[in-house]
C-alpha cells in the first residue's frame, strides 16, 4: 500500500496502515509529534502502537533537534541473524538440550556474565576497536561512571521483555529447510541509565516548557546538552551492536558444539531504536527510528513476529517518503497487562505448539495473540521492502 496522511498536524505524518486502526492514544502521540516546530516529517509504520514519549513504529525526521524520549531507553535495540549451512534434518529430534545450552551460554533477564566476555577468546567474534570503545566510557555522563563493571559483564547478555534468541527454519523457496540463528536485544541497563538521565535534563530546558507532551522534550543543535546526549547516544548504539555481536558468536558456538560441523554466512544486523544523520530533499536531518529499521535500497533487514509466528528477512526499496524505513516487527495489539488478563498458560502452550520455549506464566505477556498479524504488517509495506526469506522458529529463548 502507499501512505495516508494523518490530518491535523503541522508537519506531514505519513501512515503505512489504515489510520482508523491506530489506537487513540497512539494517534494523539503522532499528532503531538507532528506539531513540534523542529519536525520535518513523520513516517508511521504498520506495526505502530502507543509508547512512552513517542509511538513505537515511528520515524521522526527533525531539523537540528532530537527528542531523547522518542529514541527511548533501550538505545540501539535491534536484531541480528545469520544463515547456517544446516538444514532442519541436521537438528536433534529433542531440542530441549539445545535450548538449555543456549540459556547456559547467554545470560537472560537481569543476569550477567560472571566475568566479562573476552572477544579475543570467542571464535568468529570481531576483535577490532574494543580497547578504544571501552576507553570512551570515562567520558560518558558522570552519573553512570560507577556502572562500568556491570556494563562490561552485561555485554553478551539478552535481557528480558520482548528480547529473544531463536533457532529458525526457512519456509518455502529454494532454500526451504535452511537453519537460521536470530536474536533481539539492545544496550541493556547502561543504555537505560544514559537515556533516563538525558531525558530528565531535556525536560528542564526552557524551550520545552510549553510542549503538548513533556516526554517530547528536545535537545537543540549547538548546545552543550545536545552534544552530551549525542556523545552518549553514539556510544550506547555501539554498545548495543557489540552486545549482539558477542551473543551471536556465543550462539554459533553453542550450535557448533551441538551439531558438529557447520558454516555461517555473513550476519545481518540492524538497529531499530536509534538516531542517524541523513539527507532528504537536499536537507540534512536527524532521523529517529523508534521501532523501525533502515530500509535503503538494497539494505537487508529483519522483521520479527512473536515467539510463535516466525520472522522475515527483507530487502529495502529505498522509499524516501518513509525516510527509507520499514517496520521493526509485528507490533503489539494489546498491552502486557491486558495480555496477562486475556490469556492463560494453556493458550500460550497452544499458540507456541512445535516451538521449544518457555510456556509458563512469566512469558504470557509475550504470547503470539498479543501481537498484530505479521503477514498483514508485511503486506502493508510492500512499497518499503521486499521479502527475501520467511523464517519459522523451532527454538525460542526468552528472558
Amino acid at each position: 500500500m502507499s501512505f495516508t496522511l494523518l490530518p491535523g498536524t503541522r508537519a506531514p505524518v505519513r501512515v503505512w496502515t489504515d489510520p482508523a486502526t491506530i489506537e487513540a492514544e497512539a494517534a494523539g502521540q503522532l499528532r503531538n509529534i507532528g506539531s513540534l516546530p523542529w519536525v520535518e516529517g513523520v513516517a508511521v509504520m504498520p506495526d505502530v502502537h502507543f509508547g512512552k514519549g513517542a509511538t513505537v513504529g515511528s520515524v521522526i525526521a527533525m531539523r537540528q533537534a532530537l527528542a531523547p524520549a522518542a529514541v527511548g531507553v533501550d538505545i540501539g535495540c535491534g536484531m541480528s541473524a545469520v544463515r547456517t549451512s544446516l538444514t532442519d534434518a541436521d537438528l536433534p529430534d529433542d531440542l530441549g538440550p539445545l535450548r538449555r545450552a543456549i540459556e547456559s551460554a547467554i545470560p537472560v533477564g537481569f543476569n550477567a556474565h560472571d566475568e566479562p566476555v573476552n572477544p579475543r577468546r570467542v571464535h568468529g567474534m570481531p576483535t577490532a576497536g574494543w580497547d578504544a570503545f571501552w576507553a570512551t566510557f570515562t567520558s560518558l555522563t558522570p552519573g553512570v561512571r560507577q556502572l562500568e563493571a556491570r556494563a562490561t559483564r552485561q555485554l553478551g547478555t539478552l535481557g528480558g521483555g520482548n528480547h529473544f534468541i531463536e533457532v529458525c527454519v526457512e519456509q518455502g523457496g529454494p532454500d526451504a529447510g535452511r537453519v537460521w540463528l536470530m536474536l533481539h536485544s539492545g544496550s541493556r541497563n547502561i543504555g537505560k541509565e544514559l537515556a533516563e538521565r538525558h531525558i530528565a535534563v531535556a525536560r528542564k530546558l526552557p524551550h520545552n516548557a510549553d510542549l503538548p507532551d513533556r516526554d517530547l522534550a528536545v535537545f537543540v543543535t549547538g548546545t552543550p546538552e545536545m552534544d552530551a546526549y549525542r556523545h552518549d547516544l553514539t556510544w550506547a548504539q555501539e554498545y548495543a551492536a557489540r552486545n549482539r555481536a558477542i551473543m551471536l558468536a556465543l550462539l554459533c558456538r553453542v550450535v557448533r558444539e551441538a551439531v558438529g560441523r557447520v558454516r555461517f554466512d555473513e550476519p545481518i544486523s540492524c538497529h531499530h531504536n536509534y538516531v542517524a544523520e541523513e539527507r532528504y530533499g537536499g536537507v540534512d536531518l536527524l532521523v529517529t527510528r523508534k521501532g523501525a529499521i533502515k530500509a535503503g535500497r538494497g539494505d537487508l533487514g529483519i522483521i520479527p513476529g512473536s515467539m510463535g509466528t516466525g520472522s522475515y528477512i527483507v530487502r529495502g526499496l529505498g522509499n524516501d517518503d518513509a525516510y527509507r524505513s520499514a517496520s521493526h516487527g509485528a507490533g503489539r495489539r494489546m498491552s502486557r497487562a491486558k495480555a496477562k488478563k486475556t490469556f492463560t498458560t494453556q493458550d500460550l502452550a497452544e499458540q507456541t505448539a512445535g516451538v521449544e520455549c518457555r510456556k509458563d506464566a512469566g512469558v504470557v505477556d509475550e504470547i503470539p495473540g498479543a501481537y498484530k498479524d505479521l503477514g498483514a504488517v508485511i503486506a502493508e509495506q510492500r512499497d518499503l521492502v521486499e521479502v527475501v526469506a520467511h523464517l519459522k522458529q523451532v527454538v525460542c529463548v526468552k528472558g
Side-chain angles (χ1 to χ4, degrees), residues 4 6 10 31 41 74 79 127 141 144 169 177 182 186 193 203 212 278 310 317 343 349 359 372 395 399:
T4 302
L6 188 72
R10 183 196 61 80
R31 290 190 172 91
D74 195 0
M79 301 285 304
T127 59
T141 187
V144 304
V169 175
M182 179 179 295
E193 293 286 346
R203 286 174 174 168
E278 297 175 10
L317 298 178
F343 298 106
K359 301 178 191 285
K372 298 178 182 180
V395 176

Side-chain angles (χ1 to χ4, degrees), residues 235-277:
W235 186 90
Q237 289 177 180
E238 183 176 355
Y239 181 101
R242 290 180 180 275
N243 181 43
R244 289 194 298 273
I246 289 178
M247 280 192 288
L248 193 61
L250 294 173
L251 179 58
C252 289
R253 183 166 70 184
V254 169
V255 170
R256 188 182 298 109
E257 291 173 350
V259 301
R261 193 171 182 177
V262 54
R263 298 185 309 278
F264 301 99
D265 289 353
E266 188 70 21
I268 301 168
S269 187
C270 55
H271 289 323
H272 55 224
N273 276 15
Y274 75 110
V275 174
E277 297 179 4

